[in-house]
């Protein structure tokens, strides 16, 4: 059964409830072969996933090229493509160098990232992304990680995206970050359609519920949640597992293992609870799951569909793993 689709904010753009995150296709954490990347994309398509999120940052354009190699051969009206602005890819001037320091080990390229949240930079970034993708337009454009560039992002990048939306060059606009505070400002102070929140609304971290999610629900802004596994810990908690891309501290590992014990007692994989939990909030339209193999895509689709009894959520809440105000699947309604 294919994932459902939901409209993003007040736009005409829809995104599949389970969508594919493109960072692993750029080699985030570990290299991925061209063949495995193609199989990830083809398997996602076969399973009915029609939302795809990528960025120039992911493998210095490698994720965009790999996604585009498959998407450019598929009916353009049948998928939704999201990419990001804020980092231009420019020659390093020093020849190929390993990109491990930026989270993409084994990737050797003569390019480097250059922050640019100017209006001209936004237009250039989007045009260059489309060249790498081999597509004539992106459906969604997100301002990517403007944490240290907030004023320029609001004064220049956002108005540039608003103009691109008015021109019909993109259908929906927003921002994507690993923090909720600045995303809340985007929701309250601008006319974004969607924001992408990574890692801050999960079984281990529900801080996005303090500010962003209520604001988004009030404003009718859609939230896509990434990092539902918190970069690995909630996929397979074990010593050495990563949380926010670094080895998890002992206390977090113990919490994840305890949550896994609870889910197992109810016959539910931890990954299923991690994927489905964020979708209960009415502002959340989709979750992004990254994959570096066809098997991981199939697993994500299975976790999205896996039955979860209400008793599991009740036990997680009773033990304090879920905030009292965090909605859970089966309670109330969600975004349409």
């Amino acid at each position: 059964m294919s994932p459902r689709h939901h409209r993003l904010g007040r736009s005409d753009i829809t995104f599949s409830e389970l969508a594919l995150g493109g960072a692993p296709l750029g080699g985030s954490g570990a290299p991925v072969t061209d063949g495995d990347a193609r199989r990830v994309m083809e398997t996602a398509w076969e399973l009915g996933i029609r939302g795809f999120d990528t960025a120039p940052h992911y493998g210095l354009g490698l994720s965009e090229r790999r996604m585009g190699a498959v998407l450019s051969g598929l009916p353009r009206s049948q998928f939704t493509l999201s990419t990001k602005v804020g980092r231009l890819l420019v020659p390093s001037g020093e020849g190929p160098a390993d990109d491990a320091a930026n989270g993409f080990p084994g990737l050797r390229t003569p390019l480097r990232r250059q922050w640019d949240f100017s209006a001209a930079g936004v237009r250039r970034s989007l045009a260059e992304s489309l060249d790498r993708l081999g597509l004539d337009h992106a459906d969604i454009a997100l301002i990517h990680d403007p944490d240290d560039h907030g004023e320029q992002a609001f004064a220049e990048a956002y108005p540039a995206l608003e103009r691109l939306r008015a021109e019909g060059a993109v259908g929906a606009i927003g921002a994507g970050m690993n923090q909720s505070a600045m995303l809340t400002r985007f929701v309250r102070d601008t006319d974004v359609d969607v924001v992408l929140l990574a890692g801050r609304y999960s079984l281990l971290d529900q801080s996005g519920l303090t500010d962003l999610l209520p604001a988004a629900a009030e404003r009718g802004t859609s939230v896509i949640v990434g990092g539902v596994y918190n970069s690995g810990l909630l996929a397979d908690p074990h010593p050495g597992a990563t949380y926010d891309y670094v080895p998890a501290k002992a206390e977090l590992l113990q919490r994840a293992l305890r949550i896994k014990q609870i889910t197992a007692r109810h016959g539910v994989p931890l990954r299923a609870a991690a994927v489905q939990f964020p979708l209960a909030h009415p502002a959340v339209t989709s979750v992004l799951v990254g994959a570096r193999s066809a098997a991981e895509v199939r697993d994500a689709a299975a976790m999205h569909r896996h039955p979860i009894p209400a008793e599991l959520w009740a036990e997680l809440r009773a033990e304090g793993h879920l905030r009292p105000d965090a909605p859970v699947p089966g309670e109330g309604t969600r975004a349409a």
Side-chain angles (χ1 to χ4, degrees):
M1 184 174 66
S2 299
R4 294 183 296 173
H5 289 66
H6 303 289
R7 192 170 305 280
L8 299 180
R10 293 167 293 282
S11 76
D12 293 327
I13 301 299
T14 61
F15 210 57
S16 54
E17 190 172 279
L18 177 66
L20 185 71
L25 298 186
S28 176
V32 171
T33 67
D34 287 340
D36 281 343
R38 174 169 284 274
R39 284 185 284 274
V40 164
M41 291 294 296
E42 291 173 345
T43 303
W45 187 265
E46 290 165 8
L47 293 171
I49 293 172
R50 295 295 183 267
F52 300 90
D53 176 78
T54 185
H57 170 56
Y58 303 153
L60 288 156
L62 183 59
S63 173
E64 290 181 317
R65 291 193 297 273
R66 285 172 162 174
M67 273 198 174
V70 174
L71 293 178
S72 60
L74 296 170
R76 184 62 187 87
S77 63
Q78 294 184 21
F79 64 86
T80 303
L81 186 283
S82 168
T83 192
K84 304 185 183 74
V85 300
R87 292 175 175 91
L88 295 176
L89 306 184
V90 300
S92 67
E94 300 174 359
D98 191 279
D99 200 40
N102 293 295
F104 299 88
L107 177 67
R108 294 186 61 80
T109 168
L111 299 174
R112 64 176 178 86
R113 300 162 184 82
Q114 177 178 288
W115 293 107
D116 192 333
F117 292 93
S118 69
V122 165
R123 286 184 175 269
R124 176 181 163 186
S125 178
L126 186 59
E128 292 179 353
S129 286
L130 295 178
D131 285 343
R132 288 187 290 270
L133 286 156
L135 300 174
D136 61 1
H137 71 280
D139 301 289
I140 306 164
L142 303 175
I143 301 169
H144 199 189
D145 294 339
D147 304 68
D148 298 324
H149 308 269
E151 294 317 305
Q152 188 180 33
F154 282 95
E156 300 182 46
Y158 170 74
L161 285 187
E162 203 171 50
R163 286 191 291 273
L164 285 165
R165 182 177 61 185
E167 295 165 7
V170 295
I173 62 173
M177 303 181 72
N178 294 288
Q179 56 141 302
S180 63
M182 191 178 290
L183 289 182
T184 304
R185 182 181 166 195
F186 273 107
V187 167
R188 288 178 172 157
D189 296 350
T190 74
D191 189 32
V192 292
D193 304 291
V194 58
V195 293
L196 168 54
L197 176 66
R200 305 285 75 85
Y201 196 56
S202 73
L203 295 177
L204 288 172
D205 182 341
Q206 290 133 50
S207 57
L209 193 57
T210 300
D211 49 7
L212 176 62
L213 291 170
E218 181 182 345
R219 291 273 293 171
T221 305
S222 294
V223 178
I224 298 170
V225 173
V228 294
Y229 298 149
N230 285 120
S231 85
L233 183 57
L234 284 172
D236 178 20
H238 63 274
T242 56
Y243 177 88
D244 286 358
Y245 309 103
V246 297
K249 294 180 180 179
E251 183 269 336
L252 277 170
L253 174 60
Q254 290 307 309
R255 282 180 55 202
L257 288 169
R258 177 56 185 155
I259 294 171
K260 183 178 180 180
Q261 287 179 343
I262 294 170
T263 63
R265 185 158 57 245
H266 292 276
V268 175
L270 173 60
R271 300 185 308 285
V275 167
Q276 293 184 39
F277 163 68
L279 290 166
H281 195 282
V284 176
T285 54
S286 304
V287 293
L288 288 179
V289 178
R292 57 183 67 253
S293 69
E296 289 186 359
V297 181
R298 287 191 289 269
D299 182 76
M303 296 303 100
H304 176 244
R305 298 189 303 266
H306 199 288
I308 300 180
E311 292 78 11
L312 183 155
W313 302 117
E315 188 170 350
L316 288 177
R317 184 175 279 160
E319 282 206 6
H321 300 293
L322 299 182
R323 285 176 39 163
D325 55 342
V328 297
E331 286 183 346
T333 59
R334 56 149 293 110

